[in-house]
Amino acid sequence: MRILSLGAGGFIGSHLTHRLLTEGHRVVAVDASLEKVDDFIHHPNLTVIQEDIRRPGWDLNDLVADADLVIDLIAYANPGLYVKIPLEVFRLNFIENLKIAEACVRQQKRLIQFSTCEVYGRSAASLKHAGLRDPDDPIHATYTEDTSECILGPVAKHRWIYSCAKQLLERVLHAYGLEHDFNYTIIRPFNFIGPKIDFLPHEKEGIPRVFSFFMDALLTGQPIKLVNGGSSRRCYTYIDDAIECMNRIVMNSRGVCDRQIFNIGSPRNEVSIRQMAIMMREIYGERYRDTAVRLPDLVSVTGDEFYGVGYEDSDRRIPDITKARTLLAWEPTWNVRQMLEATMDYYVNRHRGAAATIAVGNA
Ligand code: NAD
Ligand code: UGA
């Protein structure tokens, strides 16, 4: 197929682009930054376009016209940004993404839209007056695409503007499906990890996701900060497992993905953020540490201290992946330790490579 991939230069986008090229597709990769596709930028079936989709008049319609399939991964996807620049998050994640969807509706092109597990919001166990017999029962935080409610916090907790923007986009796609027979597939990723996720804070200004903060603390010896003691829980999925599922959604054999929403996640990989920090520190100590260097301490901070006023956390989210199992015969295989080791190997080698280059340069 001729695939237009918007946001192809990102964490998920760069891995997906590589897989689509391996499958023999021709890919037009559009992104504001393309450094993460550097290692295969000269592939004969790859066309890269460095573009800011907010630029008026950029050639979205022509690119959609030339494509058999459109994939939209573009978004601000880091919680620090939801608190810091909520309006920009709304404009990019809803207004700009809606323009992409409507170009696909006009030209009747299938769209794969990346949404988020954050649409589910907070679990019922986090509600003050829920009166649950066993709040810790995983059923209260297990989410099914077509039947689970979406529980968000109050407006003053503007962390939820990301989730809300994505949820509204999903509802608009659903409406276009009903009223214009529009064909889309929505993907709700649950916390993917792998090489090329975000950036390390000591290398670039900004607020990445938790893995990058913990990896940076281990490499630089800074304390590991646990928001609210790291009690929140997540189910982590290794990027290679996720890409396998996405490839099956792209292929869409027998049209099983038409107008469907898919959770992509690993229900067996639930950890608390504290447990993840302890596991990363352990792995670092065993695999990379120069014994002279002391491993960093874990310190607890509040959400307001770490992200700013307006932050609220999603306490727990477990994906029900029955649909991906039954319609796509997909099953995640990587466990948390394996994915942390593989991802930490990537960053430690990259860090040491950079250090070696500097050393040679200084010599
Ligand atoms: P990412 O930040 O690595 O990728 C987003 C890409 O969009 C970046 O390459 C960025 O340069 C590009 N972009 C942003 N603004 C742009 C603009 N104005 N013009 C052109 N390009 C622009 O994030 P990711 O983790 O790869 O996420 C991809 C998608 O999946 C997003 O929609 C995100 O909300 C969703 N998602 C990801 C996860 C996950 O675990 N990684 C979980 C849930 C949802
Ligand atoms: C993420 C982002 O919103 C999106 O990438 C995405 O839509 C979705 O969820 C996903 O990845 O599936 P979240 O899981 O909260 O949100 O992302 P992180 O920033 O990685 O935070 C995870 C947890 O670690 C939160 O509880 C946060 O408070 C905590 N944290 C973060 C720390 O304890 N210490 C840190 O240094 C950073």
Side-chain angles (χ1 to χ4, degrees):
M1 288 192 277
R2 297 163 305 160
I3 300 178
L4 172 63
S5 183
L6 306 160
F11 164 46
I12 300 175
S14 55
H15 287 271
L16 182 57
T17 303
H18 186 263
R19 178 62 185 269
L20 295 174
L21 294 170
T22 311
E23 297 288 332
H25 302 291
R26 274 185 289 133
V27 180
V28 175
V30 176
D31 201 298
S33 103
L34 290 157
E35 65 205 55
K36 291 182 180 173
V37 295
D38 263 355
D39 38 352
F40 49 85
I41 202 146
H42 300 300
H43 192 287
N45 285 348
L46 178 62
T47 306
V48 293
I49 300 176
Q50 183 146 17
E51 177 67 81
D52 182 328
I53 65 162
R54 295 168 298 185
R55 181 175 67 82
W58 74 286
D59 25 306
L60 171 64
N61 292 314
D62 299 343
L63 293 170
V64 170
D66 295 344
D68 302 312
L69 170 68
V70 177
I71 302 176
D72 181 12
L73 299 123
I74 289 187
Y76 288 124
N78 295 4
L81 297 175
Y82 318 156
V83 174
K84 204 153 165 255
I85 53 168
L87 276 178
E88 262 318 293
V89 169
F90 164 70
R91 289 192 188 109
L92 183 72
N93 294 14
F94 182 74
I95 305 284
E96 297 299 334
N97 276 266
L98 181 60
K99 292 177 189 166
I100 295 169
E102 292 184 329
C104 295
V105 172
R106 280 192 303 277
Q107 305 192 47
Q108 298 185 338
K109 296 294 170 81
R110 180 183 173 220
L111 170 67
I112 295 178
Q113 178 65 53
F114 276 75
S115 180
T116 174
C117 57
E118 285 229 0
V119 294
Y120 299 113
R122 289 169 33 186
S123 81
S126 76
L127 302 177
K128 283 204 195 66
H129 313 296
L132 301 172
R133 204 160 36 74
D134 174 10
D136 207 45
D137 184 331
I139 194 69
H140 301 309
T142 299
Y143 300 114
T144 307
E145 298 93 335
D146 304 327
T147 53
S148 291
E149 298 81 5
C150 305
I151 304 174
L152 302 190
V155 168
K157 296 293 181 182
H158 45 281
R159 181 259 171 77
W160 298 114
I161 199 163
Y162 167 79
S163 166
C164 211
K166 291 271 193 179
Q167 186 193 133
L168 182 56
L169 185 65
E170 287 195 20
R171 293 183 188 274
V172 172
L173 296 186
H174 173 76
Y176 271 119
L178 293 175
E179 298 182 22
H180 295 258
D181 205 24
F182 175 49
N183 191 10
Y184 62 86
T185 305
I186 290 168
I187 292 178
R188 292 176 180 163
F190 280 71
N191 295 92
F192 299 168
I193 275 184
K196 300 185 181 177
I197 185 166
D198 296 342
F199 51 88
L200 298 179
H202 79 272
E203 292 173 352
K204 186 177 159 194
E205 187 70 28
I207 315 165
R209 287 165 281 200
V210 69
F211 174 87
S212 309
F213 273 114
F214 290 0
M215 186 75 248
D216 202 61
L218 289 163
L219 288 170
T220 61
Q222 299 301 309
I224 291 176
K225 296 182 177 167
L226 298 177
V227 173
N228 304 328
S231 57
S232 292
R233 288 176 271 191
R234 301 285 188 269
C235 293
Y236 283 98
T237 294
Y238 193 55
I239 190 67
D240 290 12
D241 271 339
I243 294 294
E244 181 51 44
C245 189
M246 290 172 221
N247 187 53
R248 295 177 191 201
I249 291 173
V250 166
M251 294 319 295
N252 192 18
S253 60
R254 304 180 319 282
V256 293
C257 304
D258 292 352
R259 284 177 279 286
Q260 289 285 349
I261 302 174
F262 284 93
N263 289 339
I264 301 183
S266 307
R268 282 196 288 270
N269 284 352
E270 186 177 44
V271 286
S272 74
I273 299 303
R274 169 179 283 277
Q275 286 168 325
M276 184 159 93
I278 292 169
M279 205 186 280
M280 286 179 70
R281 203 169 59 162
E282 213 176 80
I283 292 168
Y284 195 84
E286 284 164 15
R287 291 167 80 90
Y288 320 112
R289 183 167 69 123
D290 157 354
T291 47
V293 180
R294 201 167 152 279
L295 285 171
D297 294 332
L298 306 184
V299 294
S300 184
V301 293
T302 66
D304 286 9
E305 284 166 344
F306 192 81
Y307 290 109
V309 172
Y311 180 78
E312 188 175 72
D313 205 355
S314 169
D315 55 313
R316 188 180 192 186
R317 46 189 179 212
I318 304 168
D320 172 350
I321 55 171
T322 309
K323 195 188 279 190
R325 280 184 175 133
T326 48
L327 298 183
L328 305 171
W330 176 74
E331 187 69 40
T333 59
W334 288 67
N335 67 33
V336 177
R337 186 159 188 114
Q338 291 166 328
M339 70 179 82
L340 290 177
E341 288 176 352
T343 312
M344 292 172 74
D345 280 357
Y346 171 83
Y347 282 99
V348 170
N349 295 337
R350 200 167 138 273
H351 183 72
R352 289 184 174 166
T357 314
I358 293 162
V360 170
N362 296 344

